[in-house]
Amino acid sequence: MALTEIDRRLLKQCLARVPGAWEDFVDRFIGLIVHVIRHAAHARSVPLTPDDVDDLCSEVFVALLRDDFAVLRAFRGNCALSTYLTVVARRVVVKEITRRRKAEAMGHVMAHQAALEMAADAHPEEDRLERADEVRKLLERLPPHDARVVRMFYLDGLSYQRISAELGIPENSIGPILSRARELLKSVRETSPVP
């Protein structure tokens, strides 16, 4: 399919920074971008929340805006603009999904490593109780939802699958929650002693 005159004009206006052109561009192609996001995620069995779709949509539009519309300036008009945008959006989305999966996997690895380190530290029962008490006090500083996930994983010893089922949250969101909580707790411990 060839580049339509409407798309050619809209693209030209965007690149010339005509007021309102970018908003028209977004309005025209946001449905396509959302479709590409959902299709790419579905093809990779990645569940998405509405917030995830919004985040990925933003990533695509930021990629289009980056370096003074470099991606749009690279378009040569050899195909429909929608076809070109589909390819660009798919690349951005797949890259971001892959990045998120790696971050999630690192959360699993870091959680496993932390568990191994805790097991390797064979402390007397009093130390273990002091640590549990310290963790409970630190948990009070976390947002309630995150604290509940951390408590279920570290103190109750529940699996990601079980936490997901009990809280009704996607299993792939647990690793990032635990990772954020560890960073927050680490910074809290470094800046002030636990009362």
Side-chain angles (χ1 to χ4, degrees), residues 5-93:
E5 187 55 40
I6 293 171
D7 289 347
R8 184 186 316 274
R9 187 172 39 248
L10 184 56
L11 182 59
K12 187 177 180 180
Q13 290 173 344
C14 274
L15 297 178
R17 297 184 180 273
V18 172
W22 176 248
E23 289 79 9
D24 292 342
F25 183 91
V26 170
D27 288 345
R28 180 160 174 81
F29 293 108
I30 194 162
L32 172 70
I33 303 300
V34 169
H35 174 76
V36 170
I37 290 167
R38 289 188 174 138
H39 185 270
H42 179 74
R44 285 158 186 75
S45 301
V46 175
L48 295 178
T49 65
D51 288 339
D52 292 331
V53 173
D54 288 346
D55 289 346
L56 290 169
C57 205
S58 294
E59 290 290 332
V60 172
F61 285 120
V62 165
L64 294 174
L65 288 168
R66 190 173 292 125
D67 297 327
D68 192 33
F69 300 103
V71 172
L72 292 178
R73 289 182 192 285
F75 178 60
R76 296 292 167 234
N78 300 332
C79 62
L81 183 55
S82 59
T83 303
Y84 181 75
L85 292 174
T86 297
V87 172
V88 170
R90 184 183 171 282
R91 287 180 181 165
V92 171
V93 170

Side-chain angles (χ1 to χ4, degrees), residues 4 8 21 23 49-50 56 60 74 82 87 106 117 123 132 134 140 142 146 149 157 175 182:
T4 65
R8 184 186 316 274
E23 289 79 9
T49 65
L56 290 169
V60 172
S82 59
V87 172
M106 287 306 294
E117 288 171 6
H123 292 285
E134 181 180 7
E140 293 172 6
L142 288 174
D146 289 1
V149 171
R182 277 192 301 275

Side-chain angles (χ1 to χ4, degrees), residues 98-114 154 160 172 174-180 182-183:
T98 302
R99 186 195 67 75
R100 288 180 181 194
R101 278 189 165 174
K102 284 181 183 177
E104 176 188 329
M106 287 306 294
H108 289 279
V109 169
M110 290 167 64
H112 180 69
Q113 184 63 32
Y154 286 110
Y160 281 30
N172 65 355
I174 296 170
I177 290 172
L178 293 174
S179 181
R180 282 192 310 269
R182 277 192 301 275
E183 288 303 312

Side-chain angles (χ1 to χ4, degrees), residues 152-165:
M152 292 173 84
F153 183 76
Y154 286 110
L155 298 180
D156 300 339
L158 300 181
S159 68
Y160 281 30
Q161 185 177 18
R162 183 102 179 269
I163 294 169
S164 171

Side-chain angles (χ1 to χ4, degrees), residues 136-150:
R136 284 185 184 89
K137 288 178 182 175
L138 288 170
L139 283 174
E140 293 172 6
R141 298 178 185 223
L142 288 174
H145 180 266
D146 289 1
R148 188 163 183 210
V149 171
V150 170

